[in-house]
Amino acid sequence: MHEITSKQGFICDMDGVIYHGNRILDGVREFVNWMVENNKKFVFLTNSSERTPHELSMKLERMGLKVSPDHFYTSAMATAEFLHSQKPGCTAYVIGEGALIKAMYDKRIYMNDINPDYVVLGETRSYSFEKLEKAIALVNGGAKLIGANPDTVGVTENGIMPATGALIAPIEIATGKKAYFVGKPNPLMLRHGLKLIGCHSADIAFIGDRMDTDIIAGIESNVETVLVLSGVTSEEEIESYPYRPTYVVSGVGALLK
């Protein structure tokens, strides 16, 4: 694994790579400590739009891992960045948690439920028929439909929950308009990560646990990929995809061995 450990930087997925729910995975502390001690540049990417970098930092701290907020980049931030680049000063009707709304405000995108430029969806537990009805009317009225990520389900301690892709589907069906998704596997997310750590694509490796979002995003961004088997993908499943990761390891700790 010398080729990987000699890289200048690392972009890592979180769930299934760093933790499961509220449990840090084996070898993660050693890997993060190794990155810090060797002055590696690194950023944790997450398709979830529910938490701010500060909240993600606190979550890891509760698990005994100290990582400052500037090492996190979320699909909420990528979505706000994308809208800002498309139409600076635009407005949006947002169905999502506080982290998504904060990311919008940070890019001077303000809330508008009358005639917004965009309707934006992220993970939320406050989904309602009223909000759905409003979103459909606004999209039919000309607002562009944006999803923070295309994930259809998320895994929680209580089992499976519908994620952004599932929540946005009724709006797509009712309006006949397809959403544009900003999160992985869209390479935009990974390119934002590269910009954040100031590395060239040849100088980093991307570590993820999903073939259909992480590894494909890495391939399409022309970076070397590491699939960890500590998440949702088994070694047998790799063969069912028409592309392969550069490396396959049991978990991030194995990269140091």
Side-chain angles (χ1 to χ4, degrees):
M1 284 296 164
H2 171 70
E3 298 90 345
I4 286 294
T5 53
S6 64
K7 293 286 184 185
Q8 284 180 21
F10 295 88
I11 298 180
C12 302
D13 180 39
M14 294 189 70
D15 207 355
V17 177
I18 302 301
Y19 54 66
H20 269 316
N22 290 307
R23 180 176 64 85
I24 284 276
L25 292 169
D26 292 342
V28 168
R29 283 187 184 85
E30 292 80 359
F31 179 66
V32 172
N33 289 338
W34 172 82
M35 288 196 293
V36 171
E37 287 162 9
N38 288 274
N39 296 315
K40 301 292 183 183
K41 296 178 178 179
F42 65 95
V43 63
F44 293 119
L45 286 193
T46 175
N47 249 9
S48 171
S49 60
E50 286 184 281
R51 290 188 176 97
T52 65
H54 191 77
E55 287 164 341
L56 289 167
S57 173
M58 289 193 299
K59 176 173 178 168
L60 287 193
E61 194 165 352
R62 286 193 296 270
M63 298 182 205
L65 196 60
K66 204 166 180 61
V67 181
S68 61
D70 57 326
H71 287 290
F72 298 90
Y73 194 75
T74 73
S75 67
M77 298 161 74
T79 301
E81 184 84 51
F82 169 72
L83 297 188
H84 174 69
S85 70
Q86 290 276 299
K87 191 172 183 179
C90 62
T91 62
Y93 176 67
V94 178
I95 301 175
E97 298 297 312
L100 181 56
I101 294 168
K102 182 188 183 301
M104 295 289 161
Y105 281 133
D106 287 347
K107 287 294 175 181
R108 297 177 187 267
I109 298 164
Y110 298 110
M111 303 303 106
N112 176 355
D113 64 355
I114 306 299
N115 58 346
D117 300 296
Y118 298 97
V119 167
V120 181
L121 258 85
E123 281 85 12
T124 180
R125 287 169 173 79
S126 60
Y127 195 72
S128 69
F129 192 84
E130 187 184 0
K131 289 180 180 178
L132 189 58
E133 195 174 28
K134 184 79 173 172
I136 289 166
L138 293 172
V139 171
N140 277 334
K144 306 293 189 292
L145 185 58
I146 304 290
N149 65 66
D151 301 350
T152 52
V153 296
V155 182
T156 70
E157 287 78 19
N158 302 319
I160 297 292
M161 65 167 275
T164 304
L167 301 179
I168 211 167
I171 303 169
E172 292 183 308
I173 294 165
T175 62
K177 303 279 174 63
K178 285 288 176 192
Y180 179 72
F181 294 104
V182 178
K184 298 173 295 180
N186 190 333
L188 258 184
M189 186 90 170
L190 211 56
R191 286 171 191 161
H192 282 312
L194 277 170
K195 189 177 168 187
L196 203 65
I197 59 176
C199 284
H200 186 272
S201 56
D203 299 326
I204 69 119
F206 179 53
I207 306 169
D209 73 316
R210 295 182 66 113
M211 289 290 288
D212 58 347
T213 54
D214 300 324
I215 301 307
I216 188 66
I219 289 168
E220 291 183 358
S221 300
N222 198 30
V223 303
E224 290 194 359
T225 54
V226 181
L227 178 76
V228 292
L229 302 174
S230 53
V232 298
T233 307
S234 67
E235 202 153 9
E236 297 72 41
E237 287 176 274
I238 301 169
E239 296 305 321
S240 64
Y241 290 88
Y243 49 85
R244 290 186 62 83
T246 318
Y247 302 98
V248 180
V249 295
S250 58
V252 289
L255 293 174
L256 306 181
K257 292 173 184 173

